Amino acid sequence: MRQASAAALRLSAWVYAHLLRAYPASFRAEFGGEMALLFSDCCRDEWRSAGPAGVFCLLARAALDTLVSAPPLWAERLEEAMKGRSADRGWGFWLADHALALGGFALLAVGAATSWWAMSLGSAALAIAFFAWVAEADGLLALPRLGRVAIRTGGLAPPLSFSVRRGERVLFFFCEEDPERGVWSDVYTVLDRPKGTDGSEPCSALPPAATPSGWSLRGRVPVNDLQFESHERSTYVTRGSLERSLSAARM
Amino acid sequence: MDSPRTPGSFLPLPDAELEILIALADGEAHGYAIMRAVAERTEGRRRLGPGTLYTALKRLLAARLIEEVVASRDAGGEEARRRLYRLSHFGSRVLKAELERLSTLVRHGRRRLHMLLPSGGRS
């Protein structure tokens, strides 16, 4: 009995984890874990009070709840995209997406009068254009913003460490910790290595003398010399501040 | 310039958001506790699903009617993954305004009903 309950709870959690995919990625990132946890709690309650039938009803209610609550969130995402919040992410994407959508409409119009394959192709083009637009608005495509360099961070601004690609090189910026005072330095140590050469990314708590193989010490840059911007779930460093700080990087 | 935030500008509150604010008037709570509180208060007639609950929490957080409580360091395991929410000062003002609006509505409705059915609805 205990095994059956555990299996049913695991299965329902697995189904709900897939249902969660109906929500925009940014919403899932913020609340998905808690929603899954809450659903597991509800499953346990239902199993205790009503057994497998209760869990099945709960799943059905959760599916209906998803159908009702997810569309308004997508509508919000689309509204943000329509307001042009993503317009500065690249005209190339905007033009390609709109051309695809226009092509889709044209094929649909032609297909309505001539053949089914043109209609199918047109529908597919429209669907791709729509989902690409939604994905771009949701930050899933992570297209670079003009004049900025996307960096990977743990959400802190300024981050404790990040890496950027610059021409043929990969640069790794990190703050060193002062173990005695328990504070981070206000200077980034910058390591670099040629792109394509072997060498895993060094860890942020690297002691100054321990430069990993493949990397060389480029210099040090005051944290305040770099300008960071956050947009959606990405953090950017402005290209101008990056170039200025690198040219002034001192050993 | 942003328009000034007055409690009246948030009224009427959607059902789910009103239920959440009432649940949080008792003190800070995480999502599961809010859901249970709503179900208990309505004797099981109103059950907030996870999607409805968290979309409402997201809107309330964005409007700053509620705020997240920083978790205590000694919470571990699943408890550490649960976020606690509490009513903000502004949220309590909005809740008060909404409850006053509803009680006025009920008072007027009863008066009209009394005029229509003086015997209290008994024929």
Side-chain angles (χ1 to χ4, degrees):
Chain A
M1 189 63 186
R2 191 179 288 271
Q3 277 181 341
S5 123
L9 295 182
R10 266 202 308 275
L11 179 67
S12 53
W14 180 81
V15 173
Y16 191 67
H18 282 77
L19 275 179
L20 280 175
R21 293 179 184 214
Y23 293 98
S26 52
F27 181 78
R28 276 202 319 267
E30 196 174 356
F31 297 106
E34 268 186 282
M35 288 168 75
L37 200 59
L38 184 140
F39 181 77
S40 299
D41 290 338
C42 294
C43 273
R44 269 196 290 274
D45 290 351
E46 288 293 335
W47 183 272
R48 274 192 221 110
S49 60
V55 173
F56 182 77
C57 286
L58 178 70
L59 255 180
R61 279 204 308 271
L64 275 176
D65 180 56
T66 305
L67 276 177
V68 172
S69 57
L73 292 170
W74 281 110
E76 275 175 30
R77 304 292 309 138
L78 277 176
E79 196 183 348
E80 283 171 12
M82 302 290 254
K83 278 180 187 166
R85 279 180 57 171
S86 58
D88 57 350
R89 288 195 192 166
W91 283 99
F93 172 82
W94 191 90
L95 283 174
D97 194 63
H98 282 67
L100 190 63
L102 277 176
F105 276 121
L107 277 170
L108 271 183
V110 171
T114 56
S115 60
W116 63 269
W117 64 263
M119 276 191 82
S120 313
L121 213 59
S123 308
L126 275 178
I128 291 169
F130 174 77
F131 285 111
W133 180 261
V134 169
E136 198 271 345
D138 204 34
L140 296 179
L141 298 183
L143 294 172
R145 306 180 79 202
L146 296 177
R148 296 162 182 86
V149 182
I151 57 178
R152 283 185 292 139
T153 74
L156 293 172
L160 291 177
S161 68
F162 63 93
S163 56
V164 296
R165 290 183 189 282
R166 183 172 176 267
E168 291 303 306
R169 312 199 76 80
V170 178
L171 300 171
F172 183 68
F173 292 67
F174 66 96
C175 293
E176 289 166 22
E177 189 181 11
D178 181 344
E180 287 179 7
R181 291 168 56 215
V183 294
W184 297 93
S185 63
D186 53 3
V187 172
Y188 283 120
T189 302
V190 187
L191 302 180
D192 81 348
R193 72 173 164 87
K195 201 159 77 179
T197 56
D198 194 27
S200 56
E201 204 163 88
C203 73
S204 56
L206 207 65
T211 306
S213 63
W215 293 83
S216 58
L217 186 63
R218 183 189 176 94
R220 292 192 170 79
V221 172
V223 173
N224 291 336
D225 282 4
L226 291 167
Q227 289 173 354
F228 297 97
E229 291 178 8
S230 290
H231 183 78
E232 303 291 340
R233 287 172 297 124
S234 303
T235 301
Y236 301 87
V237 58
T238 59
R239 198 176 289 279
S241 73
L242 182 71
E243 297 303 331
R244 276 194 304 276
S245 62
L246 284 174
S247 61
R250 54 187 185 278
M251 293 295 288
Chain B
M1 199 176 86
D2 288 342
S3 57
R5 281 165 29 110
T6 60
S9 63
F10 288 87
L11 307 189
L13 284 173
D15 275 358
E17 292 170 25
L18 177 61
E19 296 281 9
I20 292 170
L21 291 186
I22 292 174
L24 290 177
D26 288 338
E28 57 194 46
H30 50 64
Y32 182 60
I34 294 171
M35 203 189 71
R36 290 286 299 267
V38 172
E40 277 169 23
R41 192 177 56 249
T42 59
E43 294 171 343
R45 284 191 301 275
R46 181 87 161 104
R47 288 185 178 194
L48 296 176
T52 308
L53 176 67
Y54 280 96
T55 47
L57 284 174
K58 177 181 183 282
R59 281 194 295 268
L60 291 170
L61 280 168
R64 298 191 184 168
L65 302 191
I66 63 171
E67 53 201 15
E68 201 180 318
V69 181
V70 178
S72 66
R73 284 170 184 272
D74 40 331
E78 284 194 350
E79 285 306 310
R81 285 169 59 201
R82 293 180 203 275
R83 284 193 284 182
L84 284 170
Y85 304 97
R86 71 172 164 223
L87 205 56
S88 66
H89 177 65
F90 184 67
S92 57
R93 284 175 58 208
V94 171
L95 176 61
K96 185 168 175 263
E98 176 67 343
L99 294 177
E100 277 168 6
R101 186 189 71 83
L102 288 173
S103 64
T104 307
L105 190 72
V106 169
R107 210 167 45 243
H108 281 295
R110 282 200 172 137
R111 200 176 299 152
R112 293 289 164 104
L113 192 65
H114 186 68
M115 279 155 50
L116 193 68
L117 305 167
S119 59
R122 288 188 296 272
S123 54

